[in-house]
Amino acid sequence: REQITERVSQSLDVVNQLNAYLIGTGTINDVHISDDEGFAFSTVKIENQIDGHTLTVLSQNESLLVYNTACPGPVAMAPDSICFLGQDLYPYTNSEIRDCKTPVHVIGIQAHGQLRHPKIMAGFRHIMEQLGYAGGASIYTGATKPLGDLIVELSRNTLNN
């Protein structure tokens, strides 16, 4: 048991090198997925239990933008990773999410600073413009915390509900 505790602690130390933020938790109420010229496009709408508003996740192979109807602009965008986690913390891909029947957590994982280089950001901006986004790169993510700590917190909340 002591060895397991030590391994979990070491794993958390590694995972906690990444900062993350909770975007929302809720039930998926609409999914549109289409394929065009080798790209998978999707729009996923989630009824956010945290604030009662709707989250919309836009993807082109990867989740690129998240909007909350309560906010004037995106609450998450690439190059941050935008991830769906089931209540059991199982990660869902954009193609699997349409089959998810239980509430999900939507989290953002902050990208490494090198991914925010102007040339890389220009590439992301070009892709996001194709999705219809023409705004700036500033977003409101809320409070961040180490990724492992966020996952532990989500698992405790799930167990308590």
Side-chain angles (χ1 to χ4, degrees):
R1 182 168 171 100
E2 225 173 88
Q3 290 176 335
I4 292 172
T5 302
E6 178 64 25
R7 280 187 279 175
V8 168
S9 178
Q10 289 171 349
S11 296
L12 273 176
D13 288 345
V14 171
V15 173
N16 275 343
Q17 293 178 33
L18 300 170
N19 285 322
Y21 48 97
L22 179 63
I23 299 167
T25 297
T27 304
I28 296 167
N29 58 19
D30 193 26
V31 178
H32 292 284
I33 298 175
S34 63
D35 292 310
D36 186 20
E37 296 181 17
F39 292 105
F41 294 90
S42 66
T43 302
V44 177
K45 293 190 181 273
I46 299 166
E47 203 57 42
N48 190 5
Q49 296 170 352
I50 295 171
D51 64 9
H53 294 280
T54 300
L55 297 174
T56 301
V57 182
L58 301 176
S59 305
Q60 179 182 326
N61 292 344
E62 301 298 327
S63 297
L64 297 172
L65 286 165
V66 182
Y67 291 96
N68 181 322
T69 53
C71 300
V75 293
M77 74 169 45
D80 286 359
S81 295
I82 300 165
C83 312
F84 297 106
L85 296 176
Q87 293 295 297
D88 58 358
L89 302 179
Y90 175 83
Y92 285 90
T93 66
N94 288 326
S95 61
E96 294 172 322
I97 200 66
R98 76 175 110 196
D99 299 322
C100 181
K101 304 298 182 214
T102 61
V104 295
H105 304 291
V106 183
I107 66 169
I109 302 171
Q110 286 185 327
H112 188 278
Q114 291 177 332
L115 286 175
R116 297 193 182 280
H117 185 278
K119 288 184 180 179
I120 293 173
M121 291 300 292
F124 281 117
R125 177 160 325 287
H126 175 71
I127 293 168
M128 289 185 280
E129 285 171 355
Q130 292 174 341
L131 295 174
Y133 181 70
S138 62
I139 56 171
Y140 175 73
T141 62
T144 62
K145 58 180 67 176
L147 174 59
D149 293 351
L150 176 61
I151 291 172
V152 168
E153 181 181 304
L154 293 174
S155 69
R156 286 185 181 143
N157 289 344
T158 300
L159 291 174
N160 291 332
N161 289 334

